[in-house]
Amino acid sequence: MGRVSEVVAKLREDWRRKMGARRATAELAAYSPQDLHGIEADLGLSSTDLELLTCNHPGPSELMPQRLQQLGLDPNFVRRAKPETYLDLARICATCTAWRRCKHDLAHGDVQVGMDGYCRNSATIDELIVEGHTRQ
């Protein structure tokens, strides 16, 4: 019975995330082009980047912070200390097609596999480590 409840919980989590992405997309669609341009300018994003941040997978919201944490970086500290870098990490993560592999690797504590293989944020994360953004 435990396995069934795990599957149901996973389906519920996936559904909530997809509905959240749809809500975010609908909210963006409700803005006038002028308002969207202002939001994009305030955030330093293109319209494509803004749309990508409404992705329907857990990459930028869950996996990226988890990867940072497993590598000894405090995601909240990075977000405050280097907001542009954090946003860039999230944008790249939102476009990643290897998020399922990332999720699997992180769940098994294999953080270095992604860094050596498929993570397109690895160079930036390496820079953060070298810069010492590890305050916790």
Side-chain angles (χ1 to χ4, degrees), residues 60-95:
S61 62
E62 297 171 27
L63 301 178
M64 185 200 48
Q66 187 178 355
R67 180 171 296 279
L68 294 174
Q69 190 77 39
Q70 286 187 16
L71 289 166
L73 295 165
D74 181 351
N76 292 320
F77 179 73
V78 173
R79 185 179 314 152
R80 286 188 311 274
K82 301 201 62 140
E84 300 85 12
T85 301
Y86 193 88
L87 187 57
D88 193 46
L89 289 168
R91 182 185 55 78
I92 290 169
C93 195
T95 63

Side-chain angles (χ1 to χ4, degrees), residues 44-54 91:
L45 299 173
S46 69
S47 59
T48 303
D49 288 340
L50 190 59
E51 290 173 13
L52 289 174
L53 291 177
T54 63
R91 182 185 55 78

